[in-house]
Amino acid sequence: MAEENAIDDPIPAGPERLVLSDSGLSLSAVTVAQAEPVGEEPSPLRAFWSAFSENRGAVLGLAIVVFIALLAVFAPWVAPHSPTEQFRQSVLLPPVWAGGNWSFPFGTDAVGRDVLSRLIYGARISLGIGLSVMVVSVAVGIVLGLAAAFLRGAVEVVVMRIMDVVVAIPSLVLAILVVAVLGPSLVNTIVAVTVVYLPRYVRLVRAAAIAELSKEYVVAAQVAGVGKLRLMFVTVLPNCLAPLIVQAALGISDAILEAAALGFLGLGAQPPTPEWGAMLADAREFIRSAPWIVTLPGLAILVTVVAINLMGDGLRDALDPKLRRS
């Protein structure tokens, strides 16, 4: 009967285990509660966004930067007028909140050009300068920094001493010197600002690469016979990108400020190019009679730079686990 009962019993829901009864050892069907499955780890992108979004200032900065970038990209469709078109009958027209009309919401400048249209097109130029300087500086900085870290010796001495000389000269003075040699233009402005901010990327990449060289995975790759170029750009460089990305994001705002300073001095973008620094230079004589011409480009520079800096702080917190908010 016992055997029949054992056969008639349903298949146990959980794994069986041995239990000790009065008659000795016997198999008893004991249902064991199954453990809940462990949740999947979030993807790197989702984990990054989760850490980044904890900083509300960074999210706000990102939203502002995206908005300004969209204005710059779609400037021909968003701007109400051409940035160089002159409306002679509406010279120094005030903005709408000071008695102007909606044809020129932000007013007009001294030759009748729409200030709002020039600000929108100016976002395209200023952000273009910042991004161009960042891309070129990062690319050249990676090459020189890795070369100094891996080749050492004379190469490191030459590269780092040149960077020391560049750093020793005040940034604006050096930019003015470069533009004075090459001539004032938008392209030469990018070259000058790139030269000014190149040392920070070279030094950062070199220091990060030297710190990685002593780690076990690099030693293992060297023992395995990995080529030097592959070791530099495939093995070591990805582990140096976190601080480099943060520095690159913050470098965009510095480049925008430096380009605006050159434009204000008349050494950057030349008229009638609607660059924010050049707009400030053109309007400085009207600072009392038509203050909106000076205030609005200055506010555009201020808001853009602050937004990029806030976004850079969020990137730093998200990419460095030590700085993540609890």
Side-chain angles (χ1 to χ4, degrees), residues 23-266:
S23 58
L25 286 173
S26 65
L27 275 175
S28 174
V30 180
T31 302
V32 180
Q34 304 215 351
E36 295 183 1
V38 179
E40 295 182 359
E41 293 186 0
S43 64
L45 184 60
R46 182 175 296 180
F48 166 78
W49 174 251
S50 176
F52 181 85
S53 59
E54 291 179 2
N55 189 333
R56 295 184 179 180
V59 176
L60 176 61
L62 176 62
I64 294 174
V65 171
V66 170
F67 175 73
I68 295 173
L70 290 176
L71 284 180
V73 171
F74 298 103
W77 297 274
V78 176
H81 305 284
S82 168
T84 58
E85 185 178 0
Q86 299 180 6
F87 300 89
R88 294 294 186 178
Q89 71 279 9
S90 302
V91 174
L92 292 179
L93 188 71
V96 290
W97 60 83
N101 60 66
W102 285 101
S103 298
F104 307 100
F106 284 6
T108 58
D109 62 9
V111 293
R113 295 172 297 194
D114 181 42
V115 174
L116 176 59
S117 300
R118 290 179 64 77
L119 287 174
I120 294 174
Y121 276 89
R124 171 179 287 189
I125 294 174
S126 294
L127 287 180
I129 292 174
L131 289 173
S132 300
V133 170
M134 182 268 290
V135 170
V136 176
S137 298
V138 168
V140 178
I142 286 174
V143 173
L144 294 180
L146 290 178
F150 278 82
L151 302 180
R152 310 305 290 263
V155 175
E156 182 184 22
V157 172
V158 171
V159 170
M160 298 314 298
R161 294 300 77 79
I162 292 175
M163 297 301 109
D164 290 341
V165 171
V166 173
V167 172
I169 305 174
S171 60
L172 185 57
V173 174
L174 179 60
I176 292 173
L177 177 62
V178 174
V179 172
V181 173
L182 300 178
S185 71
L186 190 58
V187 175
N188 292 340
T189 297
I190 295 175
V191 173
V193 180
T194 300
V195 171
V196 168
Y197 290 112
L198 181 59
R200 63 174 64 179
Y201 298 102
V202 175
R203 288 180 162 186
L204 182 61
V205 173
R206 172 184 170 273
I210 290 176
E212 295 294 324
L213 284 176
S214 60
K215 295 186 178 179
E216 294 179 356
Y217 75 94
V218 178
V219 177
Q222 290 173 333
V223 171
V226 174
K228 183 153 287 187
L229 287 178
R230 180 179 177 84
L231 187 67
M232 291 166 62
F233 293 98
V234 178
T235 306
V236 173
L237 180 59
N239 296 286
C240 305
L241 288 181
L244 190 61
I245 291 172
V246 175
Q247 185 60 63
L250 297 175
I252 296 176
S253 62
D254 293 337
I256 291 174
L257 283 175
E258 200 75 27
L262 290 175
F264 183 79
L265 295 174

